Amino acid sequence: FWLKGPTKVVASIYLSPPPIDFLCAMAGEPPQKKQRPDDKAAQLFVDFVNQTGSPYHTVSACAGLLKSSGFVELHDGKPWTVARNGRYFVTKGGSEVMAFVVGGKFNQGLDSGMSIVGAHTDSPCLRLRPNSKVSGAGMLQVGMQTYGGGLWHTWFDRPLGVAGKVVIRQGSADKPGVQSLAERLVHIPEPLMLIPNLAIHLQSPDERKGFSPNTESHLQPVLCSKMFDDASRSAEELKEPKDGIFARHHTALLERIAKDLGCKLGDIVDADLCLMDSTPACLAGLYQEFVSAPRIDNLLSTWAAVKGLCDFASSPALAESQDICMAVSFDHEECGSQSVVGAEGATFPSWLDSMLNGLEVAPVARSAIFARSFLLSADCAHGVHPNYASKHQSEHRPEFHKGIVIKTNANQRYATTAITSSLFREVCKRADVPVQDFVVRNDSPCGTTIGPIVSAKLGIRTIDIGAPQWAMHSCRETCATSDCAHLLTLCKGFFELFRQIDSDADTM
């Protein structure tokens, strides 16, 4: 029986437990949302995003995924010992990562190549200045510099946390009295700062028409009031040091960082900190079909590449694979890629040499391996916006839930060609992943990716692809839950299927 209200009784007899929709209806509650196949992938991505906040935390989250799947960490600059069926990963500077598995049937003859998914670990954000100690109107503020091409107006009136790398001095148990430098990650997701907007009543008519903040003077967040900070300290504590790190950053900020790290204030030497949206990533929409999260560009691609490689490595397909299957994610894509940990740097080619040396691949055989290799340059695509559909070229309007996007540009801002597109479509067909196309309008600028850079640098066939999203480079972005699943399925399917498709193709 089931009770409804103080007097009404509903009686039912079931040979098995009643359906949940019936129970909800009797209790006056809406039916529970049915679990969709793509929900699991989307929730895994949300959990991944919530571990991050800086490129360093992205790489740390990737390392956690890889280690839990049995990958062995190699070390940059040292000789590598690798073997068939092996799983490995390496990092550089804490912000670039490469993971790879060696197929059980890899050979340096005529059959093997490298199947690579490439992405990037960074996103536009506000980053701490070397001297961040700023004050105004009785408030302690934190000096920030803009990183990448952000939609900076979206950072206003939003609680902001902090994440990044801190360099500290620490003692050594082996050498009493001797201090050495050490790098530590700090992740403070609580709302430490905010950038308040200016009231509409204080803006001129022209300012009201188009909000265009001055990135130098209007993007310095508030940490706390001087009154509250002074009240929290004793007279002795107010006599803070005027030199070293204390001359560069507010003591209140240093104290919060030191608390998180478990170190003394004076141990902090320097820091590379990013501001981040302190509101956790989540599923959104009436049917929870969207992911609302910071840094979807390009953490979605990084996560799918690494998770797809982990899933492939745990499958029987690895033993039968002829390829080296790889996920690599670079830093500094948002500012040109020209750095030691960027796609323009020498690190990735050096890692490939170390890997092939570890496999004892003869130098004479390497050009053939590169010729058979293929790169999916995975970076999010512009999904058509329901309020701004005219911004898209009319025949190329990628929609949510409609699949992965092939990005093409005749001026080589993307590396896609007719043959790389055709090979990719065949992979998607066999992996049951829907495909869409995107080109920019002729009267619009076109972004670029790591694709043309790596393709030109290594001579590897490349295609630019990505999952569609809204609000690219906003403090908070949106994508579809189903496209998280599409991208993950694609990455695993690419590692499993590409070599056979490529070997069967009659190409020039």
Side-chain angles (χ1 to χ4, degrees):
F1 67 92
W2 188 262
L3 296 179
K4 173 70 173 178
T7 58
K8 184 177 180 180
V9 176
V10 177
S12 297
I13 297 176
Y14 282 91
L15 299 178
S16 60
I20 190 66
D21 284 1
F22 171 82
L23 295 178
C24 291
M26 291 298 97
E29 298 175 358
Q32 291 188 354
K33 182 176 75 71
K34 295 180 180 179
Q35 189 77 11
R36 297 185 301 265
D38 50 84
D39 287 348
K40 182 179 179 181
Q43 189 58 58
L44 288 173
F45 172 59
V46 164
D47 295 341
F48 178 86
V49 172
N50 287 335
Q51 298 176 56
T52 69
S54 73
Y56 309 113
H57 288 85
T58 300
V59 170
S60 177
C62 289
L65 275 176
L66 293 163
K67 288 177 180 178
S68 67
S69 295
F71 282 68
V72 175
E73 185 170 8
L74 304 172
H75 298 284
D76 180 50
K78 295 183 179 180
W80 298 353
T81 300
V82 297
R84 290 168 181 80
N85 292 308
R87 314 174 188 189
Y88 310 94
F89 78 98
V90 61
T91 67
K92 178 88 167 183
S95 63
E96 180 183 9
V97 59
M98 181 183 84
F100 64 96
V101 296
V102 184
K105 295 185 177 180
F106 173 80
N107 67 77
Q108 51 182 296
L110 299 176
D111 302 320
S112 295
M114 294 180 288
S115 297
I116 308 168
V117 181
H120 62 89
T121 61
D122 60 321
S123 302
C125 66
L126 298 173
R127 297 182 90 139
L128 191 77
R129 285 175 171 164
N131 300 314
S132 74
K133 201 171 185 177
V134 181
S135 299
M139 298 291 159
L140 303 190
Q141 294 174 268
V142 182
M144 291 286 169
Q145 52 185 330
T146 56
Y147 174 79
L151 289 174
W152 302 121
H153 65 277
T154 65
W155 289 75
F156 284 74
D157 302 324
R158 188 184 295 273
L160 301 171
V162 171
K165 180 196 291 185
V166 180
V167 181
I168 64 170
R169 290 188 182 90
Q170 65 177 13
S172 171
D174 299 332
K175 299 177 181 179
V178 177
Q179 288 193 317
S180 59
L181 298 178
E183 293 179 317
R184 296 288 181 265
L185 296 187
V186 62
H187 187 259
I188 307 174
E190 62 195 62
L192 287 187
M193 308 180 204
L194 54 86
I195 305 173
N197 225 316
L198 181 65
I200 191 170
H201 315 83
L202 302 179
Q203 297 180 32
S204 68
D206 286 341
E207 288 173 327
R208 295 176 192 176
K209 289 178 181 177
F211 181 50
S212 181
N214 183 293
T215 53
E216 173 59 28
S217 56
H218 298 157
L219 283 175
Q220 309 314 314
V222 173
L223 178 65
C224 62
S225 67
K226 187 176 187 303
M227 181 178 70
F228 267 62
D229 190 49
D230 288 348
S232 70
R233 305 178 187 281
S234 65
E236 189 63 29
E237 288 175 327
L238 288 173
K239 300 176 183 178
E240 62 184 42
K242 304 297 182 184
D243 57 354
I245 195 76
F246 299 98
R248 296 165 51 201
H249 306 290
H250 286 301
T251 300
L253 178 60
L254 296 173
E255 285 176 340
R256 185 61 189 82
I257 293 170
K259 177 183 177 182
D260 194 76
L261 293 175
C263 70
K264 297 178 181 178
L265 281 180
D267 292 338
I268 299 175
V269 179
D270 213 335
D272 179 11
L273 301 180
C274 304
L275 288 193
M276 64 176 186
D277 184 1
S278 66
T279 304
C282 64
L283 302 185
L286 177 63
Y287 300 106
Q288 294 194 339
E289 62 184 293
F290 307 122
V291 175
S292 172
R295 303 177 298 281
I296 289 176
D297 173 24
N298 192 29
L299 294 194
L300 178 56
S301 301
T302 296
W303 166 79
V306 172
K307 182 68 169 64
L309 184 66
C310 291
D311 291 349
F312 169 72
S314 301
S315 73
L318 175 59
E320 298 300 315
S321 175
Q322 296 173 292
D323 273 10
I324 299 169
C325 296
M326 182 184 307
V328 58
S329 197
F330 304 93
D331 198 359
H332 298 146
E333 190 273 347
E334 298 293 357
C335 59
S337 295
Q338 195 167 30
S339 74
V340 67
V341 289
E344 277 274 21
T347 298
F348 185 44
S350 174
W351 281 347
L352 297 181
D353 280 342
S354 296
M355 179 185 68
L356 295 175
N357 287 337
L359 287 168
E360 298 182 344
V361 175
V364 70
R366 297 186 184 185
S367 60
I369 288 176
F370 276 77
R372 289 191 294 271
S373 297
F374 196 93
L375 169 67
L376 296 188
S377 170
D379 206 341
C380 290
H382 298 295
V384 63
H385 194 301
N387 297 336
Y388 301 93
S390 62
K391 294 293 184 179
H392 274 68
Q393 204 284 321
S394 56
E395 286 75 50
H396 299 85
R397 294 179 171 177
E399 298 180 26
F400 281 13
H401 305 301
K402 297 293 183 67
I404 302 306
V405 180
I406 297 175
K407 300 188 283 188
T408 304
N409 183 260
N411 296 300
Q412 296 302 295
R413 299 290 284 173
Y414 302 132
T416 304
T417 65
I419 185 58
T420 62
S421 175
S422 299
L423 291 167
F424 177 79
R425 290 179 197 275
E426 187 62 24
V427 169
C428 290
K429 178 181 177 181
R430 298 190 190 185
D432 195 25
V433 174
V435 179
Q436 308 180 77
D437 288 280
F438 172 78
V439 298
V440 297
R441 289 168 54 104
N442 288 332
D443 55 2
S444 295
C446 182
T448 190
T449 69
I450 64 161
I453 295 171
V454 177
S455 180
K457 198 175 188 71
L458 299 179
I460 290 178
R461 295 170 296 168
T462 301
I463 184 172
D464 272 292
I465 60 97
Q469 70 160 101
W470 293 329
M472 188 177 289
H473 291 192
S474 173
C475 186
R476 198 171 185 90
E477 302 166 329
T478 305
C479 68
T481 54
S482 62
D483 293 325
C484 297
H486 287 147
L487 191 59
L488 179 59
T489 301
L490 165 65
C491 290
K492 182 174 183 287
F494 170 66
F495 295 134
E496 292 177 348
L497 300 168
F498 177 76
R499 176 51 46 219
Q500 188 62 55
I501 293 170
D502 187 41
S503 297
D504 292 343
D506 182 11
T507 60
M508 299 174 69

